Amino acid sequence: MDVSGGSGQPRSDDAEPTEHRAGPTAPPTDGGPDPAAPRPTATATDRAEPPRRTPDGEPAAPDTPEAPETSVPRDPETPRDPETPQDPEAPEAPEPPAAPAAPGAGDGPVRTQSAGMAKGQPPQRPKEPGGGLLMGRPFGVPVYVAPSWFVVAALITWVFGGQLDRVLPELGAARYLVSLFFAIAFYASVLVHELAHTVAAIRFKLPVRRIQLQFFGGVSEIEKEAETPGREFVLAFVGPLLSLVLSGLFYLAMQPVEPGTVAGVLLAGLMVSNLIVAAFNLLPGLPLDGGRMLRAVVWKITGRPMSGTVAAAWVGRALAVSVLIGLPLLNHWGAFGGGAEESNGMDAVTDALLAAILAAIIWTGAGNSLRMARLREHLPELRARTLTRRAVPVENDTPLSEALRRANAAGARALVVVDADGNPLSLVREAAIVGVPEHRRPWVAVSGLAQDLTDGMRISAELAGEELLDVLRATPATEYLVVEETGEIYGVLSAADVERAFVKAMARPA
């Protein structure tokens, strides 16, 4: 069964934040020139407090508990920046939000991750996810078998074994071996269905993260959505098309085989099961392939992918209700080969349970498609330039109290440790500042509270949307140095600020 989702294209015409530049910093007390001018910055959080120093300059014993996540402390006389909310009791800094899901293809919910790149600095690709037992890498795409597959394989073996007992009673206990072979062959057909989506995605230069075989079919995780409605339609249609082709091939293979034999029964079962997979996936509602085809048609007519997603998602929800009510009734009336006189109470309970599970999967997939479409519409609001906070450059031996005084005087809310030439070396961590009592700040150097910069912690001020999220996810940290294309310091970006903007964007109606 296909449970893939749809989403709208991002847009950037409703972003609220505006760009801001840094103002001059207050002159240093030692009379020396202050390095680079500060830039706008955002709140920063950290996971743990760095090593502290005693008034004599010796490192203090680290505290056992982690420092609480709070906003950058400000002197009482300095007003807060009204544009960036302060959270005095913020929990531990969250990881940067994952890239949003986008429509993929396959018999399961499709999650996506776009592989964005910072200008001049390609991010490290996140560690390849698991998802069960790795079976191989056709076309370079890892194929996993989820633990839930073994549950459904056992269920198919038991149910099909019971049918074989009526058709081929002479098999005896060997019928369960034949049933297990059928379960494996059926999921091999599902894999072919998924590979059809994968090949089409690769043909359209859409990276595929993995294929996973699970309880109700398979999942093809495509990292980007199709750029045009035509490609979206093709990407969705190739899966059911291959299932129809397989059904036809099994039908042709049945012709020279005796109907009452093991081979005849297996071929007939595979023909019917692939026909059912194709027909079910062609139903016009998300998250099924037919729903994505409907989305592509509405997208083509209206010119708006979001309109296609909304239409196909609501059809999918209506389909879920129909499955919940209609499937048990059809089975009770003998639409699937049985009759009312042959059914019993246990069969009715089984039919109702199966219908409820299918309806829940379809309903949930349709809702996820709507949420992902809304996310994609608001993703352009996440821009590094507008989320960045102003930063004050300070040297290694600058006392924390003096560094905070300069930041308050400049209206900045982050500190960047630089060398004598103004080159950034590290970022002063916000949680570490909070952990230093005010009376100790004149004797604590900022270098003892800073985190060294790595290449992944330097990001371009031009990053936005999925590209920004991908870069942050590639190098997990709590603060990032934001730089211009020329290498000039622009400010400091906090993962906590990105998280807040992400949640705010998701809460806004599409």
Side-chain angles (χ1 to χ4, degrees), residues 378-401:
H378 291 308
L379 265 184
E381 298 176 17
L382 302 180
R383 294 199 292 267
R385 187 175 294 277
T386 55
L387 292 173
T388 299
R389 281 195 172 185
R390 181 172 305 188
V392 167
V394 294
E395 295 187 352
N396 269 308
D397 57 353
T398 305
L400 178 58
S401 59

Side-chain angles (χ1 to χ4, degrees), residues 21 128 197 320 334 338 364-365 396 398:
R21 301 293 297 178
E128 186 179 272
H197 291 304
T364 303
N396 269 308
T398 305

Side-chain angles (χ1 to χ4, degrees), residues 117-468:
M117 295 177 62
K119 296 192 175 183
Q121 177 61 43
Q124 295 284 334
R125 188 176 183 82
K127 184 179 179 181
E128 186 179 272
L133 181 63
L134 178 63
M135 301 301 295
R137 296 176 180 272
F139 305 102
V141 178
V143 176
Y144 292 93
V145 174
S148 61
W149 177 86
F150 295 95
V151 177
V152 75
L155 181 62
I156 292 175
T157 301
W158 177 61
V159 172
F160 194 68
Q163 295 176 348
L164 282 178
D165 190 36
R166 293 192 294 268
V167 179
L168 300 170
E170 65 274 11
L171 287 177
R175 68 182 183 272
Y176 291 110
L177 291 177
V178 177
S179 300
L180 179 60
F181 177 82
F182 171 78
I184 295 174
F186 170 68
Y187 266 85
S189 301
V190 173
L191 177 59
V192 172
H193 177 111
E194 297 303 322
L195 287 175
H197 291 304
T198 296
V199 172
I202 294 174
R203 174 66 178 82
F204 294 143
K205 302 187 185 316
L206 302 175
V208 183
R209 191 183 186 199
R210 67 176 178 178
I211 296 174
Q212 186 185 55
L213 301 180
Q214 50 185 233
F215 190 86
F216 270 101
V219 179
S220 296
E221 297 186 9
I222 301 176
E223 296 187 353
K224 285 183 179 293
E225 69 172 0
E227 297 177 352
T228 65
R231 291 186 174 186
E232 171 81 352
F233 189 93
V234 171
L235 192 60
F237 180 63
V238 291
L241 177 62
L242 257 291
S243 294
L244 287 173
V245 170
L246 285 176
S247 181
L249 292 176
F250 287 125
Y251 174 78
L252 293 177
M254 285 173 53
Q255 303 311 306
V257 178
E258 188 70 26
T261 62
V262 172
V265 173
L266 284 176
L267 289 172
L270 291 172
M271 179 199 70
V272 173
S273 60
N274 276 279
L275 187 61
I276 292 174
V277 168
F280 186 74
N281 276 281
L282 286 174
L283 293 176
L286 286 173
L288 304 175
D289 284 334
R292 297 184 55 227
M293 294 163 62
L294 174 62
R295 172 182 181 267
V297 171
V298 177
W299 177 2
K300 180 67 175 179
I301 294 173
T302 63
R304 297 188 68 248
M306 185 64 183
S307 298
T309 301
V310 171
W314 279 105
V315 173
R317 287 177 169 177
L319 180 63
V321 175
S322 300
V323 168
L324 180 62
I325 299 174
L327 186 61
L329 291 178
L330 289 175
N331 202 34
H332 178 72
W333 293 334
F336 302 113
E341 65 280 357
E342 300 177 7
S343 63
N344 53 45
M346 182 59 67
D347 291 335
V349 172
T350 302
D351 294 340
L353 180 60
L354 178 62
I357 294 174
L358 285 174
I361 291 175
I362 296 173
W363 183 279
T364 303
N368 288 339
S369 299
L370 285 174
R371 282 190 289 274
M372 292 306 103
R374 182 173 63 188
L375 170 62
R376 281 192 173 274
E377 290 231 320
H378 291 308
L379 265 184
E381 298 176 17
L382 302 180
R383 294 199 292 267
R385 187 175 294 277
T386 55
L387 292 173
T388 299
R389 281 195 172 185
R390 181 172 305 188
V392 167
V394 294
E395 295 187 352
N396 269 308
D397 57 353
T398 305
L400 178 58
S401 59
E402 170 60 17
L404 292 178
R405 187 197 67 77
R406 297 184 193 179
N408 290 327
R413 299 170 68 186
L415 302 172
V416 178
V417 178
V418 298
D419 60 18
D421 297 325
N423 299 316
L425 301 175
S426 56
L427 302 177
V428 179
R429 299 186 289 183
E430 180 181 344
I433 297 175
V434 174
V436 179
E438 188 172 353
H439 67 275
R440 291 185 54 200
R441 293 176 181 176
W443 291 277
V444 176
V446 294
S447 58
L449 309 174
Q451 179 181 11
D452 291 339
L453 285 170
T454 62
D455 289 339
M457 293 173 62
R458 299 170 187 261
I459 66 175
S460 168
E462 303 303 324
L463 290 177
E466 287 186 64
E467 191 178 18
L468 173 62

